[in-house]
Amino acid sequence: MHDGGPPPGDSGTGSTGPGEDTVATRCAVRREQLGLSREEVARRAGMSVPYLSQLETFSGDFDPAGLLRLAAALEMPYDELTQGPREAAPGQRPAGAGHLLTRLSEDDCWQRLGTHGIGRVGLTVGSTPVVLPVNFLVDGRTVVYRTEVGGPAAADGGGPLAFEADHIDAHVSRGWSVLITGTAEHITDPDVVEALATRPGARPWAGGKRDLWIRVRPGQVTGRTIDAREAPS
């Protein structure tokens, strides 16, 4: 985190030249990749469009929490949003010519998920399938997240729900992903809610009032790892 002033690698000004790599251009590229409008990104991040514009250009007070919410809304790492893609370390070997895809056991899947993190839920809103970023907790062999009542991530109790989390290192063509498909369960027991709310990682990145806790009851848990095969010397 940085205290006052833009993160390294950005000019901190609203003026950008053609081809400059700034927070604003990274946001624009990512919005296009996700097929989202500025209004949709602002809604996901829980902020107004004018405030989103301030964050993109650093024309207002620097707000790390706001940038964290924006990164979550754009489904990208915070450092990549603020500083751009990391360059490969000098002397690092390039990725090999091929890739090895390996299945993860269910135990391995839960180990990869750890105790908490950032993932995505997939559900249907009306007749439209959507995928939304959430910060999650692992509770036993279930995944839980909190959202706003009536919000886009508020899956119906008993309805189908998918959850996915991954970690990718594009520089070495290596990573993993875990997919859980199952049903949504609304958590209403106040003791359970209180216990979950005090755990590390429980505070929603997007902020706001998010009183609905949803548990993903797994029907199937699958995972994959991908690794680059070294090219023959």
Side-chain angles (χ1 to χ4, degrees), residues 23-44 49 52-53 56 70 73-76 81:
V23 170
T25 56
R26 290 171 213 139
C27 286
V29 169
R30 187 59 177 157
R31 284 199 310 269
E32 184 176 352
Q33 289 175 336
L34 296 174
L36 297 172
S37 67
R38 290 176 62 82
E39 291 75 14
E40 289 170 324
V41 171
R43 179 173 57 81
R44 278 186 169 199
V49 173
L52 170 61
S53 299
E56 289 180 340
L70 179 57
L74 291 169
E75 302 176 30
M76 63 190 303
L81 171 65

Side-chain angles (χ1 to χ4, degrees), residues 201-222:
R203 186 173 181 179
W205 281 22
K209 188 175 182 180
R210 299 177 184 273
D211 295 333
L212 176 60
W213 285 84
I214 294 179
R215 187 184 305 278
V216 183
R217 287 286 183 190
Q220 185 176 39
V221 180
T222 58

Side-chain angles (χ1 to χ4, degrees), residues 12 14 16 34 60 66 72 93 106 108 114 127 138 145 149-150 152-153 165 181 197 204 209 214 217 230 233:
T16 60
L34 296 174
R93 292 180 300 174
E106 186 169 337
D108 287 336
S127 60
V138 172
Y145 67 95
V149 176
T181 55
K209 188 175 182 180
I214 294 179
R217 287 286 183 190
E230 292 186 11
S233 55

Side-chain angles (χ1 to χ4, degrees), residues 16-189:
T16 60
E20 286 191 22
D21 185 19
T22 65
V23 170
T25 56
R26 290 171 213 139
C27 286
V29 169
R30 187 59 177 157
R31 284 199 310 269
E32 184 176 352
Q33 289 175 336
L34 296 174
L36 297 172
S37 67
R38 290 176 62 82
E39 291 75 14
E40 289 170 324
V41 171
R43 179 173 57 81
R44 278 186 169 199
M47 60 185 63
S48 67
V49 173
Y51 192 68
L52 170 61
S53 299
Q54 285 189 2
L55 283 178
E56 289 180 340
T57 60
F58 292 102
S59 59
D61 292 336
F62 180 57
D63 180 9
L67 284 170
L68 278 171
R69 286 155 45 200
L70 179 57
L74 291 169
E75 302 176 30
M76 63 190 303
Y78 174 85
D79 289 345
E80 185 175 329
L81 171 65
T82 57
Q83 300 177 36
R86 293 172 298 170
E87 297 295 332
Q92 178 175 298
R93 292 180 300 174
H99 296 83
L100 180 64
L101 189 66
T102 306
R103 291 177 182 268
L104 291 171
S105 68
E106 186 169 337
D107 286 341
D108 287 336
C109 288
W110 290 110
Q111 289 176 9
R112 300 275 178 167
L113 291 177
T115 59
H116 64 278
I118 298 295
R120 289 163 289 280
V121 292
L123 65 163
T124 301
V125 178
S127 60
T128 305
V130 296
V131 177
L132 301 169
V134 295
N135 53 301
F136 69 91
L137 303 175
V138 172
D139 188 40
R141 290 236 164 171
T142 68
V143 165
V144 301
Y145 67 95
R146 62 193 300 182
T147 188
E148 58 184 328
V149 176
D156 293 335
L161 185 63
F163 170 84
E164 189 270 344
D166 57 42
H167 178 77
I168 303 295
D169 188 336
H171 300 296
V172 293
S173 300
R174 179 181 299 131
W176 59 265
S177 68
V178 170
L179 175 65
I180 300 174
T181 55
T183 56
E185 175 187 295
H186 291 190
I187 302 174
T188 57
D189 186 322

